[in-house]
Amino acid sequence: VMIGKEGLSDTVLEATREALLAHELIKVRVLESAPMDRKELAEALPPLVQAELAGLIGRILVLYKRHPSKPKVGLPT
């Protein structure tokens, strides 16, 4: 998923939700044209898609959301 000049639009939020449902762990690239700083997006985006921020590497956010019925990523107990 990429965030560009439109910022956190409904389209970006829906694409992020779909990617999280399909993959659980995704990368979100923040383009230079994005209206918000990468750190602001790292705080704002996860709650909007009910995910956790797993990491921030340069201009890439790593998000995690466990699949409700078929989790792919095994977490230690």
Side-chain angles (χ1 to χ4, degrees):
V1 177
M2 290 191 274
I3 299 176
K5 65 181 179 177
E6 297 297 319
L8 292 177
S9 66
D10 291 338
T11 305
V12 168
L13 294 175
E14 186 59 32
T16 303
R17 287 184 191 106
E18 288 176 10
L20 284 165
L21 186 60
H23 303 288
E24 290 188 326
L25 190 67
I26 65 166
K27 295 185 285 185
V28 179
R29 183 175 305 275
V30 180
L31 302 178
E32 300 233 358
S33 60
M36 295 174 72
D37 178 74
R38 64 189 180 94
K39 291 181 182 178
E40 291 173 319
L41 285 167
E43 291 179 16
L45 181 59
L48 294 174
V49 294
Q50 293 82 41
E52 298 293 327
L53 179 67
L56 178 60
I57 305 163
R59 298 187 71 79
I60 296 175
L61 311 175
V62 181
L63 298 180
Y64 172 75
K65 182 177 180 184
R66 184 180 171 98
H67 192 280
S69 60
K70 296 184 272 180
K72 295 179 183 180
V73 178
L75 298 176
T77 56

